[in-house]
Coordinates of all heavy atoms in Angstrom, one line a residue:
M42 N -31.8 1.0 -0.4 CA -30.8 0.3 0.5 C -30.3 1.4 1.5 O -30.0 2.5 1.1 CB -29.7 -0.1 -0.4 CG -28.7 -1.0 0.3 SD -27.8 -2.0 -1.0 CE -26.3 -2.1 -0.3
A43 N -30.2 0.9 2.7 CA -29.7 1.8 3.8 C -28.2 2.1 3.6 O -27.5 1.3 3.2 CB -30.0 1.2 5.1
T44 N -27.9 3.4 4.0 CA -26.5 3.7 3.9 C -25.8 3.2 5.2 O -26.3 3.3 6.2 CB -26.3 5.3 3.9 OG1 -27.5 5.9 3.6 CG2 -25.3 5.7 2.8
K45 N -24.6 2.7 5.0 CA -23.8 2.2 6.1 C -23.1 3.4 6.8 O -22.5 4.2 6.2 CB -22.8 1.2 5.6 CG -23.4 0.0 5.0 CD -22.4 -0.9 4.3 CE -23.1 -2.1 3.7 NZ -22.3 -2.8 2.8
T46 N -23.3 3.5 8.1 CA -22.8 4.6 8.9 C -21.9 4.2 10.1 O -21.3 5.0 10.7 CB -23.9 5.5 9.4 OG1 -24.8 4.7 10.2 CG2 -24.6 6.2 8.3
G47 N -21.8 2.9 10.4 CA -21.1 2.5 11.6 C -19.7 1.9 11.2 O -19.4 1.7 10.1
G48 N -18.9 1.7 12.3 CA -17.7 1.0 12.1 C -16.7 1.6 11.1 O -16.4 2.8 11.1
I49 N -16.3 0.8 10.1 CA -15.4 1.2 9.1 C -16.0 2.3 8.1 O -15.3 3.0 7.4 CB -14.9 0.0 8.3 CG1 -13.6 0.4 7.5 CG2 -15.9 -0.6 7.4 CD1 -12.8 -0.8 7.0
H50 N -17.3 2.4 8.1 CA -18.0 3.3 7.2 C -18.3 4.7 7.9 O -18.7 5.6 7.2 CB -19.4 2.7 6.8 CG -19.2 1.4 6.0 ND1 -18.7 1.4 4.8 CD2 -19.4 0.2 6.4 CE1 -18.6 0.1 4.4 NE2 -19.0 -0.7 5.4
K51 N -18.0 4.8 9.2 CA -18.3 6.0 9.9 C -17.2 7.0 9.5 O -16.0 6.7 9.6 CB -18.2 5.7 11.4 CG -18.4 7.0 12.3 CD -18.3 6.6 13.8 CE -18.2 7.8 14.6 NZ -17.4 7.7 15.8
P52 N -17.6 8.2 9.1 CA -16.6 9.2 8.7 C -15.7 9.6 9.9 O -16.2 9.8 11.0 CB -17.5 10.4 8.3 CG -18.8 9.9 8.0 CD -19.0 8.7 8.9
V53 N -14.4 9.7 9.6 CA -13.4 10.1 10.6 C -12.6 11.2 10.0 O -12.5 11.4 8.8 CB -12.5 9.0 11.1 CG1 -13.3 7.9 11.9 CG2 -11.9 8.3 9.9
T54 N -12.0 12.0 10.8 CA -11.1 13.1 10.4 C -9.7 12.8 10.5 O -9.2 12.5 11.6 CB -11.4 14.4 11.2 OG1 -12.8 14.7 11.1 CG2 -10.7 15.6 10.6
P55 N -8.9 12.8 9.4 CA -7.5 12.4 9.4 C -6.7 13.6 10.1 O -7.0 14.7 9.9 CB -7.1 12.2 8.0 CG -8.1 13.0 7.2 CD -9.4 13.0 8.0
S56 N -5.6 13.2 10.7 CA -4.7 14.2 11.3 C -4.0 14.9 10.1 O -4.1 14.5 9.0 CB -3.6 13.5 12.1 OG -2.7 12.7 11.3
A57 N -3.3 16.0 10.4 CA -2.6 16.8 9.3 C -1.6 15.9 8.6 O -1.5 16.0 7.4 CB -1.9 18.0 9.9
D58 N -0.9 15.0 9.3 CA 0.1 14.1 8.7 C -0.6 13.1 7.8 O -0.1 12.9 6.6 CB 0.9 13.4 9.7 CG 1.9 14.3 10.5 OD1 2.3 15.4 9.9 OD2 2.3 14.0 11.6
L59 N -1.7 12.6 8.2 CA -2.4 11.6 7.4 C -3.1 12.3 6.2 O -3.1 11.8 5.1 CB -3.4 10.8 8.2 CG -4.2 9.7 7.5 CD1 -3.2 8.7 6.9 CD2 -5.1 9.0 8.5
A60 N -3.6 13.5 6.4 CA -4.3 14.2 5.4 C -3.3 14.6 4.3 O -3.7 14.8 3.1 CB -4.9 15.5 6.0
A61 N -2.0 14.7 4.6 CA -1.0 15.0 3.5 C -0.9 13.9 2.5 O -0.5 14.1 1.4 CB 0.3 15.3 4.2
V62 N -1.4 12.7 2.9 CA -1.3 11.5 2.0 C -2.7 11.3 1.4 O -2.8 11.1 0.2 CB -0.9 10.3 2.8 CG1 -0.9 9.1 1.9 CG2 0.5 10.5 3.4
V63 N -3.8 11.3 2.2 CA -5.1 10.9 1.7 C -6.0 12.1 1.4 O -7.1 11.9 0.8 CB -5.8 10.0 2.7 CG1 -5.0 8.7 3.0 CG2 -6.1 10.7 4.0
G64 N -5.6 13.3 1.7 CA -6.5 14.4 1.5 C -7.2 14.8 2.7 O -7.4 14.0 3.6
P65 N -7.6 16.1 2.8 CA -8.3 16.6 4.0 C -9.8 16.3 4.0 O -10.3 15.8 3.0 CB -8.1 18.1 3.9 CG -8.1 18.4 2.4 CD -7.4 17.1 1.8
G66 N -10.4 16.5 5.2 CA -11.8 16.3 5.3 C -12.2 15.0 5.8 O -11.4 14.0 5.7
A67 N -13.4 14.9 6.4 CA -13.9 13.6 7.0 C -14.2 12.6 5.9 O -14.7 13.0 4.8 CB -15.1 13.9 7.9
M68 N -13.8 11.4 6.1 CA -14.1 10.3 5.2 C -14.2 9.0 5.9 O -13.6 8.9 7.0 CB -13.1 10.3 4.0 CG -11.7 10.0 4.4 SD -10.5 10.1 3.1 CE -10.1 11.8 3.2
P69 N -14.8 8.0 5.4 CA -14.9 6.7 6.1 C -13.5 6.1 6.1 O -12.6 6.3 5.3 CB -15.8 5.8 5.2 CG -16.5 6.8 4.3 CD -15.7 8.0 4.2
R70 N -13.2 5.3 7.2 CA -11.9 4.7 7.4 C -11.6 3.8 6.2 O -10.4 3.7 5.8 CB -12.0 3.8 8.6 CG -10.7 3.3 9.2 CD -10.9 2.5 10.4 NE -11.3 3.4 11.5 CZ -10.5 3.8 12.5 NH1 -9.2 3.5 12.5 NH2 -10.9 4.6 13.5
S71 N -12.6 3.2 5.6 CA -12.4 2.3 4.4 C -11.8 3.1 3.2 O -11.0 2.6 2.5 CB -13.7 1.6 4.0 OG -14.7 2.6 3.7
E72 N -12.3 4.4 3.1 CA -11.8 5.2 2.0 C -10.3 5.6 2.3 O -9.5 5.7 1.4 CB -12.7 6.4 1.9 CG -12.4 7.3 0.7 CD -13.3 8.5 0.5 OE1 -14.5 8.4 0.9 OE2 -12.9 9.5 -0.1
I73 N -10.0 5.9 3.6 CA -8.7 6.3 4.0 C -7.7 5.1 3.6 O -6.7 5.4 3.0 CB -8.6 6.6 5.5 CG1 -9.3 7.9 5.8 CG2 -7.1 6.6 6.0 CD1 -9.4 8.3 7.2
V74 N -8.1 3.9 3.9 CA -7.2 2.7 3.6 C -7.1 2.6 2.1 O -6.0 2.3 1.6 CB -7.8 1.5 4.3 CG1 -7.1 0.2 3.8 CG2 -7.8 1.6 5.8
S75 N -8.2 2.8 1.4 CA -8.1 2.7 -0.1 C -7.1 3.7 -0.7 O -6.3 3.4 -1.5 CB -9.5 2.9 -0.7 OG -10.3 1.8 -0.4
K76 N -7.2 5.0 -0.2 CA -6.4 6.0 -0.6 C -4.9 5.8 -0.2 O -4.0 6.1 -1.0 CB -6.9 7.4 -0.1 CG -8.1 7.9 -0.8 CD -8.5 9.2 -0.3 CE -9.7 9.7 -1.1 NZ -10.0 11.1 -0.9
L77 N -4.7 5.2 1.0 CA -3.3 4.9 1.4 C -2.7 3.9 0.4 O -1.6 4.1 0.0 CB -3.4 4.3 2.8 CG -3.1 5.3 3.9 CD1 -3.2 4.6 5.3 CD2 -1.7 5.9 3.8
W78 N -3.5 2.8 0.1 CA -3.0 1.8 -0.8 C -2.7 2.4 -2.2 O -1.7 2.1 -2.8 CB -3.9 0.6 -0.9 CG -3.6 -0.4 0.2 CD1 -4.4 -0.6 1.3 CD2 -2.4 -1.1 0.3 NE1 -3.7 -1.5 2.1 CE2 -2.5 -1.9 1.5 CE3 -1.3 -1.3 -0.4 CZ2 -1.5 -2.8 2.0 CZ3 -0.3 -2.2 0.0 CH2 -0.4 -2.9 1.2
A79 N -3.6 3.3 -2.7 CA -3.3 3.9 -4.0 C -2.0 4.7 -3.9 O -1.2 4.7 -4.9 CB -4.5 4.8 -4.3
Y80 N -1.8 5.4 -2.8 CA -0.6 6.2 -2.7 C 0.7 5.3 -2.6 O 1.7 5.6 -3.3 CB -0.7 7.1 -1.4 CG 0.5 7.9 -1.1 CD1 0.7 9.2 -1.6 CD2 1.5 7.5 -0.3 CE1 1.8 10.0 -1.4 CE2 2.7 8.2 0.0 CZ 2.8 9.5 -0.6 OH 3.9 10.3 -0.3
I81 N 0.6 4.2 -1.8 CA 1.7 3.3 -1.7 C 2.0 2.7 -3.1 O 3.2 2.6 -3.4 CB 1.3 2.2 -0.7 CG1 1.3 2.8 0.7 CG2 2.3 1.0 -0.7 CD1 0.5 1.9 1.8
K82 N 1.0 2.3 -3.8 CA 1.3 1.6 -5.1 C 1.8 2.6 -6.1 O 2.7 2.3 -6.9 CB 0.0 0.9 -5.6 CG -0.2 -0.3 -4.8 CD -1.5 -1.1 -5.2 CE -1.6 -2.3 -4.3 NZ -2.8 -3.1 -4.5
S83 N 1.2 3.8 -6.2 CA 1.6 4.8 -7.2 C 3.0 5.3 -6.9 O 3.7 5.8 -7.8 CB 0.6 6.0 -7.3 OG 0.7 6.8 -6.1
N84 N 3.5 5.2 -5.7 CA 4.8 5.7 -5.3 C 5.8 4.5 -5.2 O 7.0 4.7 -4.7 CB 4.8 6.5 -4.1 CG 4.2 7.9 -4.3 OD1 4.8 8.8 -4.9 ND2 3.0 8.1 -3.9
G85 N 5.4 3.3 -5.5 CA 6.3 2.1 -5.4 C 6.9 1.9 -4.1 O 8.0 1.6 -3.9
L86 N 6.0 2.0 -3.0 CA 6.5 1.9 -1.6 C 6.4 0.5 -1.1 O 6.8 0.2 0.1 CB 5.8 2.9 -0.7 CG 6.0 4.3 -1.2 CD1 5.2 5.3 -0.3 CD2 7.4 4.7 -1.1
Q87 N 5.8 -0.5 -1.8 CA 5.8 -1.9 -1.4 C 7.2 -2.5 -1.5 O 7.9 -2.2 -2.6 CB 4.8 -2.7 -2.1 CG 3.4 -2.6 -1.6 CD 2.4 -3.5 -2.3 OE1 2.1 -3.2 -3.5 NE2 2.0 -4.6 -1.7
D88 N 7.7 -3.2 -0.6 CA 9.0 -3.8 -0.7 C 9.0 -4.8 -1.8 O 8.1 -5.6 -2.0 CB 9.3 -4.6 0.6 CG 10.8 -5.0 0.7 OD1 11.6 -4.2 1.1 OD2 11.0 -6.2 0.3
S89 N 10.1 -4.7 -2.6 CA 10.2 -5.6 -3.8 C 10.3 -7.1 -3.5 O 9.8 -7.9 -4.3 CB 11.3 -5.1 -4.7 OG 12.5 -5.2 -4.0
K90 N 10.9 -7.4 -2.4 CA 11.1 -8.8 -2.0 C 9.9 -9.3 -1.2 O 9.5 -10.5 -1.3 CB 12.4 -9.0 -1.2 CG 13.6 -8.8 -2.1 CD 14.9 -8.9 -1.2 CE 16.1 -8.7 -2.0 NZ 16.3 -7.4 -2.6
D91 N 9.3 -8.5 -0.4 CA 8.1 -8.9 0.5 C 7.0 -7.9 0.3 O 7.1 -6.8 0.9 CB 8.6 -9.0 1.9 CG 7.5 -9.5 2.9 OD1 6.3 -9.7 2.4 OD2 7.8 -9.6 4.1
K92 N 6.1 -8.1 -0.5 CA 5.0 -7.2 -0.8 C 4.1 -6.8 0.4 O 3.4 -5.9 0.4 CB 4.1 -7.7 -1.9 CG 4.8 -7.9 -3.3 CD 5.0 -6.6 -3.9 CE 5.5 -6.9 -5.4 NZ 6.1 -5.7 -5.9
R93 N 4.3 -7.6 1.5 CA 3.5 -7.3 2.7 C 4.2 -6.1 3.5 O 3.5 -5.6 4.4 CB 3.4 -8.5 3.6 CG 2.6 -9.6 3.0 CD 2.6 -10.8 3.8 NE 4.0 -11.3 3.8 CZ 4.4 -12.4 4.5 NH1 3.6 -13.1 5.1 NH2 5.7 -12.7 4.5
Q94 N 5.4 -5.8 3.1 CA 6.1 -4.7 3.8 C 6.0 -3.4 3.0 O 6.0 -3.4 1.8 CB 7.6 -5.0 4.0 CG 7.9 -6.0 5.1 CD 7.6 -5.4 6.4 OE1 6.7 -6.0 7.1 NE2 8.2 -4.3 6.9
I95 N 5.7 -2.3 3.8 CA 5.6 -1.0 3.2 C 6.8 -0.2 3.6 O 7.0 0.0 4.8 CB 4.3 -0.3 3.6 CG1 3.1 -1.2 3.1 CG2 4.2 1.1 3.0 CD1 1.9 -1.0 3.9
N96 N 7.6 0.3 2.7 CA 8.7 1.2 2.9 C 8.2 2.7 2.9 O 7.9 3.1 1.8 CB 9.8 0.9 1.9 CG 10.3 -0.5 2.0 OD1 10.5 -1.0 3.1 ND2 10.5 -1.1 0.9
A97 N 8.2 3.3 4.0 CA 7.6 4.6 4.1 C 8.5 5.7 3.4 O 9.7 5.6 3.6 CB 7.4 5.0 5.5
D98 N 7.9 6.6 2.7 CA 8.6 7.8 2.3 C 8.4 8.9 3.4 O 7.9 8.5 4.5 CB 8.0 8.3 0.9 CG 6.6 8.7 1.0 OD1 6.0 8.7 2.1 OD2 6.0 9.1 -0.1
S99 N 8.9 10.1 3.2 CA 8.9 11.1 4.3 C 7.4 11.4 4.8 O 7.3 11.6 6.0 CB 9.5 12.4 3.8 OG 8.9 12.9 2.7
K100 N 6.4 11.4 3.9 CA 5.1 11.6 4.3 C 4.5 10.5 5.2 O 3.9 10.7 6.2 CB 4.1 11.8 3.1 CG 4.3 13.1 2.4 CD 3.3 13.2 1.3 CE 3.4 14.5 0.6 NZ 2.4 14.6 -0.5
L101 N 4.7 9.2 4.7 CA 4.2 8.1 5.4 C 5.0 7.8 6.7 O 4.4 7.3 7.7 CB 4.2 6.8 4.6 CG 3.1 6.7 3.5 CD1 3.3 5.4 2.8 CD2 1.8 6.8 4.2
E102 N 6.2 8.2 6.8 CA 7.0 8.0 8.0 C 6.4 8.8 9.2 O 6.4 8.4 10.3 CB 8.5 8.4 7.8 CG 9.4 7.9 8.9 CD 10.9 8.1 8.6 OE1 11.2 8.5 7.5 OE2 11.6 7.9 9.6
K103 N 5.8 10.0 8.9 CA 5.2 10.8 9.9 C 3.9 10.1 10.4 O 3.6 10.2 11.6 CB 4.8 12.1 9.3 CG 6.0 13.0 9.1 CD 5.5 14.3 8.4 CE 6.7 15.2 8.1 NZ 6.3 16.4 7.3
V104 N 3.3 9.3 9.6 CA 2.1 8.5 10.0 C 2.5 7.3 10.8 O 1.9 7.0 11.8 CB 1.2 8.2 8.8 CG1 0.0 7.3 9.2 CG2 0.7 9.5 8.1
F105 N 3.4 6.5 10.2 CA 3.8 5.2 10.8 C 4.8 5.4 11.9 O 4.9 4.5 12.8 CB 4.4 4.3 9.7 CG 3.5 4.0 8.6 CD1 4.1 3.7 7.3 CD2 2.2 4.0 8.7 CE1 3.2 3.3 6.3 CE2 1.3 3.6 7.6 CZ 1.9 3.3 6.4
G106 N 5.5 6.5 12.0 CA 6.5 6.6 13.0 C 7.8 5.8 12.8 O 8.6 5.8 13.7
K107 N 7.9 5.2 11.7 CA 9.2 4.5 11.3 C 9.3 4.3 9.9 O 8.3 4.5 9.1 CB 9.2 3.1 12.1 CG 8.0 2.2 12.0 CD 8.2 1.1 12.9 CE 6.9 0.2 12.9 NZ 7.1 -1.0 13.7
K108 N 10.4 3.7 9.4 CA 10.7 3.6 8.0 C 9.9 2.5 7.3 O 9.7 2.5 6.1 CB 12.2 3.4 7.8 CG 13.0 4.7 7.7 CD 12.8 5.4 6.4 CE 13.7 6.6 6.2 NZ 13.1 7.5 5.2
S109 N 9.6 1.4 8.0 CA 8.9 0.3 7.4 C 7.9 -0.4 8.3 O 8.2 -0.5 9.5 CB 10.0 -0.7 7.0 OG 9.5 -1.9 6.4
V110 N 6.7 -0.7 7.7 CA 5.7 -1.4 8.5 C 5.1 -2.5 7.7 O 5.2 -2.5 6.4 CB 4.6 -0.4 9.0 CG1 5.0 0.7 9.9 CG2 3.8 0.1 7.8
S111 N 4.5 -3.5 8.3 CA 3.8 -4.5 7.6 C 2.4 -4.0 7.2 O 1.9 -3.2 7.9 CB 3.8 -5.8 8.4 OG 2.8 -5.7 9.4
M112 N 1.9 -4.6 6.2 CA 0.5 -4.2 5.8 C -0.5 -4.5 7.0 O -1.5 -3.8 7.1 CB 0.1 -4.9 4.5 CG 0.0 -6.3 4.6 SD -0.2 -7.1 3.0 CE -1.9 -7.0 2.7
F113 N -0.1 -5.4 7.9 CA -1.0 -5.8 9.0 C -1.0 -4.7 10.1 O -2.0 -4.5 10.8 CB -0.7 -7.2 9.5 CG -0.7 -8.2 8.4 CD1 0.4 -8.8 7.9 CD2 -1.9 -8.6 7.9 CE1 0.4 -9.7 6.9 CE2 -2.0 -9.5 6.8 CZ -0.8 -10.1 6.4
E114 N 0.2 -4.1 10.3 CA 0.3 -3.1 11.4 C -0.1 -1.7 10.9 O -0.2 -0.8 11.7 CB 1.6 -3.1 12.1 CG 2.8 -2.8 11.2 CD 4.2 -2.9 12.0 OE1 4.3 -2.3 13.1 OE2 5.1 -3.5 11.4
M115 N -0.2 -1.5 9.6 CA -0.6 -0.2 9.0 C -1.9 0.3 9.6 O -1.9 1.5 10.0 CB -0.7 -0.4 7.5 CG -1.1 0.9 6.8 SD -1.2 0.8 5.0 CE -2.8 0.2 4.8
N116 N -2.9 -0.5 9.8 CA -4.2 0.0 10.3 C -4.0 0.5 11.7 O -4.7 1.4 12.1 CB -5.2 -1.1 10.2 CG -5.7 -1.3 8.8 OD1 -5.6 -0.4 7.9 ND2 -6.1 -2.5 8.4
K117 N -3.2 -0.1 12.5 CA -2.9 0.3 13.9 C -2.4 1.7 13.9 O -2.8 2.6 14.7 CB -2.0 -0.7 14.6 CG -1.6 -0.2 16.0 CD -0.5 -1.2 16.6 CE 0.8 -0.9 16.1 NZ 1.9 -1.6 16.7
H118 N -1.4 2.0 13.0 CA -0.9 3.3 12.9 C -1.9 4.4 12.4 O -1.9 5.5 12.8 CB 0.4 3.3 12.0 CG 1.5 2.5 12.6 ND1 2.2 2.9 13.7 CD2 2.0 1.3 12.2 CE1 3.1 2.0 14.0 NE2 3.0 1.0 13.1
V119 N -2.7 4.0 11.4 CA -3.7 4.8 10.9 C -4.7 5.2 12.0 O -5.1 6.4 12.1 CB -4.5 4.2 9.7 CG1 -5.7 5.0 9.4 CG2 -3.6 4.1 8.5
S120 N -5.1 4.3 12.9 CA -6.0 4.6 14.0 C -5.6 5.7 14.9 O -6.4 6.4 15.4 CB -6.2 3.3 14.8 OG -6.9 2.3 14.1
A121 N -4.2 5.8 15.1 CA -3.7 6.9 15.9 C -3.8 8.2 15.2 O -3.6 9.3 15.9 CB -2.3 6.6 16.2
H122 N -4.1 8.3 13.9 CA -4.2 9.5 13.2 C -5.6 9.9 12.7 O -5.7 10.7 11.8 CB -3.2 9.4 12.0 CG -1.8 9.6 12.4 ND1 -1.1 10.8 12.4 CD2 -0.9 8.6 12.7 CE1 0.1 10.6 12.8 NE2 0.3 9.3 13.0
V123 N -6.6 9.3 13.3 CA -8.0 9.7 13.0 C -8.8 10.0 14.2 O -8.5 9.4 15.3 CB -8.7 8.6 12.1 CG1 -8.1 8.4 10.8 CG2 -8.8 7.3 12.9
K124 N -9.8 10.9 14.1 CA -10.6 11.1 15.2 C -12.1 11.3 14.8 O -12.3 11.6 13.6 CB -10.1 12.2 16.1 CG -9.9 13.5 15.5 CD -9.4 14.6 16.5 CE -9.2 15.9 15.9 NZ -8.0 16.4 15.6

């Protein structure tokens, strides 16, 4: 089976702020999103009333640029932190 290398599977390098959450080094965008969700869940950052909202801690606030984002806008903020 061929390895997937394009789009969401193409390795990208996280910024220093994003790497503080997901770890350093190049990884596929899909892995970055998975690690972000693991971090969000393990730190209880989903809003208790609306699970679609993420309440940023100090590390995530550097990535998102604000205290709270919806799960739908999270990817837009992540895009600004990868190259």
Side-chain angles (χ1 to χ4, degrees):
M42 188 158 150
T44 348
K45 296 174 182 163
T46 56
I49 196 165
H50 302 286
K51 179 181 171 214
V53 292
T54 305
S56 69
D58 289 335
L59 184 56
V62 178
V63 300
M68 63 187 89
R70 195 178 291 259
S71 56
E72 189 177 334
I73 288 174
V74 172
S75 292
K76 287 184 175 192
L77 262 176
W78 274 111
Y80 180 85
I81 290 163
K82 288 179 178 176
S83 69
N84 288 286
L86 299 176
Q87 273 181 291
D88 190 88
S89 57
K90 292 178 180 62
D91 182 358
K92 296 285 189 196
R93 295 172 298 180
Q94 281 299 116
I95 299 156
N96 299 316
D98 62 3
S99 58
K100 286 183 179 181
L101 282 181
E102 195 174 349
K103 290 177 184 171
V104 175
F105 298 154
K107 52 187 177 176
K108 275 281 185 204
S109 180
V110 298
S111 77
M112 62 192 277
F113 304 108
E114 62 179 315
M115 180 176 82
N116 289 331
K117 175 182 82 171
H118 295 290
V119 167
S120 293
H122 285 270
V123 296
K124 57 180 180 255

